[in-house]
Amino acid sequence: MLGLDKTGWIEKPRPTCGPLDAIVRPLALAPCTSDIHTVWEGAIGDRHNLVLGHEGVGEVVEVGDMVKVFKPGDRVIMPAITPDWGSLEAQSGYSVHSGGMLGGWKFSNSKDGVFAEFIHINEADANLALLPDGIEPETGAMLSDMVPTGLHGSELAGVKYGDDVCVIGIGPVGLMAVRGAVLRGAANLFAVGTRPNCVQVARSFGATDIISYKEGPLHDQILDRTNGKGVDRVIIAGGDNDTFDTAIRMLKPGGAIGNINYLGSGDYIKIPREAWGVGMGHKTIHGGLMPGGRLRMEKLAQLVLTGRVDPSQLITHRFEGLEHVEDAVMLMKDKPADLIKPVVSIRY
Ligand code: NDP
Ligand code: ZN
């Protein structure tokens, strides 16, 4: 990101490795819709000469003196979120907010991201995860952000056995939210989106109904299909600030919304007063950035290894060579109808 609305290539010095850190070279990289919000919506303000990217698998080329778990040659998942684990926020259970709100989101935000020849990883033992043999790097790259974010959506919404769930948005993030909700016991699962590839994968991940936001208000469509009762949980993984309005309207009293959407513009979210039980409806909203951490990332990799989650179904476009990262970013920006997720492989 050279500045707002502008991407290109720049030379930077190779990052240096502190005692707890690692330096990694990329094997597979993927752009995120968040990179698009950052550059073309200015969602986190202006940034100059910031290396984009926070999704990828790589090979460790250097580790600091105090790193115990990893060594050069290891293939590793680089999580999008790389917190400071000694911070008070991490100790209170909110690693992602280490050092201040969203402070654990460093790549392509407060420091250079992963679209580079060499990538700096802070607190390598806590933040990296070994990529198990049996998961190809391209699929592993989906474990940086898409899998943990989508599954976190189902945690934020608190999905329980037998819950009726609506997942608004079935891009790669929402698709993983569909899978997460199914694994946590969803009964009827309404998936909202229109791109045919996404619809097909949503069904294969366990969606029972597909709903188009282009065919009338979502809450009316959900209320029609649930005898006017609504759903127990809503996971928001697409749409905009107005999506909270429709989500509140389709939610049962006592229900919860889990938001993982990155709201790129506007100042306020409107909550419909009456549908919110005039403030007393026990309808809660949880919004969260995915937590990182080696333990969680290794467990998610086990879900892939055991076949419970198949993120390879998200990959629709493949490129070879670091120089094609820009093409992948532009695809993510333009969102052609057949796109779910592009990935770039790098061979040495
Ligand atoms: P996509 O753009 O691929 O998917 C968005 C989905 O929302 C699509 O299914 C789209 O439908 C649907 N949609 C668009 N407009 C509406 C609307 N008005 N009402 C309802 N649904 C709508 O995005 P991604 O899956 O890549 O990412 C989703 C969001 O998650 C992004 O904002 C991204 O930045 C954010 N994110 C958050 C992270 C976190 O940790 N919290 C991490 C990573 C990403 P259609 O099929 O028609 O295109
Ligand atoms: Zn992301």
Side-chain angles (χ1 to χ4, degrees):
M1 176 176 182
L2 301 175
L4 284 181
D5 299 328
K6 222 168 155 201
T7 54
W9 293 95
I10 52 172
E11 285 290 342
K12 287 211 174 188
R14 185 186 195 277
T16 51
C17 189
L20 294 168
D21 307 340
I23 304 295
V24 172
R25 65 177 186 172
L27 297 174
L29 297 171
C32 178
T33 302
S34 301
D35 293 310
I36 308 309
H37 293 307
T38 298
V39 180
W40 284 280
E41 286 174 20
I44 51 171
D46 204 354
R47 296 284 193 283
H48 289 270
N49 298 341
L50 173 76
V51 177
L52 291 171
H54 50 256
E55 298 183 16
V57 157
E59 181 190 303
V60 175
V61 293
E62 184 182 350
V63 294
D65 293 345
M66 295 173 75
V67 173
K68 299 189 188 93
V69 179
F70 299 97
K71 57 181 187 322
D74 286 345
R75 294 193 320 166
V76 288
I77 302 158
M78 299 181 280
I81 303 302
T82 53
D84 300 313
W85 291 91
S87 65
L88 292 178
E89 293 88 352
Q91 290 179 26
S92 74
Y94 291 95
S95 53
V96 74
H97 302 299
S98 65
M101 192 160 63
L102 308 181
W105 171 22
K106 296 177 193 290
F107 286 139
S108 65
N109 181 8
S110 61
K111 83 177 207 189
D112 281 333
V114 302
F115 296 163
E117 289 161 293
F118 294 100
I119 302 146
H120 173 264
I121 311 287
N122 57 295
E123 297 187 38
D125 282 346
N127 282 321
L128 288 176
L130 267 187
L131 181 73
D133 289 341
I135 303 181
E136 62 156 7
E138 292 73 15
T139 303
M142 301 299 115
L143 279 158
S144 296
D145 193 0
M146 298 300 96
V147 175
T149 298
L151 267 56
H152 190 46
S154 64
E155 290 176 320
L156 289 169
V159 177
K160 297 197 189 78
Y161 297 126
D163 279 347
D164 287 341
V165 179
C166 178
V167 177
I168 302 181
I170 47 169
V173 172
L175 286 170
M176 281 300 144
V178 167
R179 192 63 199 147
V182 167
L183 287 176
R184 287 174 68 102
N188 291 300
L189 197 148
F190 304 94
V192 177
T194 66
R195 280 180 275 158
N197 280 350
C198 297
V199 165
Q200 190 196 332
V201 176
R203 287 198 190 281
S204 105
F205 282 175
T208 54
D209 294 71
I210 305 293
I211 293 185
S212 167
Y213 59 93
K214 295 176 180 167
E215 286 170 17
L218 284 177
H219 52 274
D220 287 341
Q221 297 192 57
I222 293 284
L223 291 171
D224 279 352
R225 288 173 196 230
T226 55
N227 298 323
K229 288 194 160 52
V231 292
D232 301 285
R233 315 280 154 189
V234 180
I235 303 172
I236 303 180
D240 54 25
N241 300 10
D242 293 334
T243 304
F244 287 84
D245 181 300
T246 204
I248 292 277
R249 291 180 195 276
M250 69 172 73
L251 198 61
K252 286 182 193 168
I257 294 173
N259 179 67
I260 42 179
N261 199 16
Y262 172 0
L263 300 169
S265 57
D267 293 323
Y268 296 97
I269 310 291
K270 275 198 248 164
I271 304 296
R273 183 182 59 85
E274 279 190 31
W276 201 39
V278 293
M280 299 178 286
H282 291 104
K283 296 189 180 186
T284 51
I285 303 173
H286 299 276
L289 191 57
M290 74 94 162
R294 175 157 62 96
L295 177 65
R296 173 177 286 254
M297 300 309 295
E298 286 181 356
K299 287 191 173 187
L300 295 182
Q302 288 304 309
L303 284 178
V304 176
L305 259 191
T306 51
R308 304 239 184 253
V309 168
D310 178 11
S312 70
Q313 290 192 46
L314 302 182
I315 301 171
T316 49
H317 294 67
R318 290 175 186 262
F319 296 92
E320 285 249 352
L322 186 63
E323 68 277 15
H324 288 295
V325 157
E326 198 168 8
D327 299 325
V329 168
M330 290 307 166
L331 261 183
M332 214 58 189
K333 177 170 179 276
D334 298 340
K335 296 259 156 83
D338 60 345
L339 178 81
I340 303 183
K341 195 84 181 173
V343 72
V344 181
S345 310
I346 297 114
R347 320 225 184 265
Y348 297 93

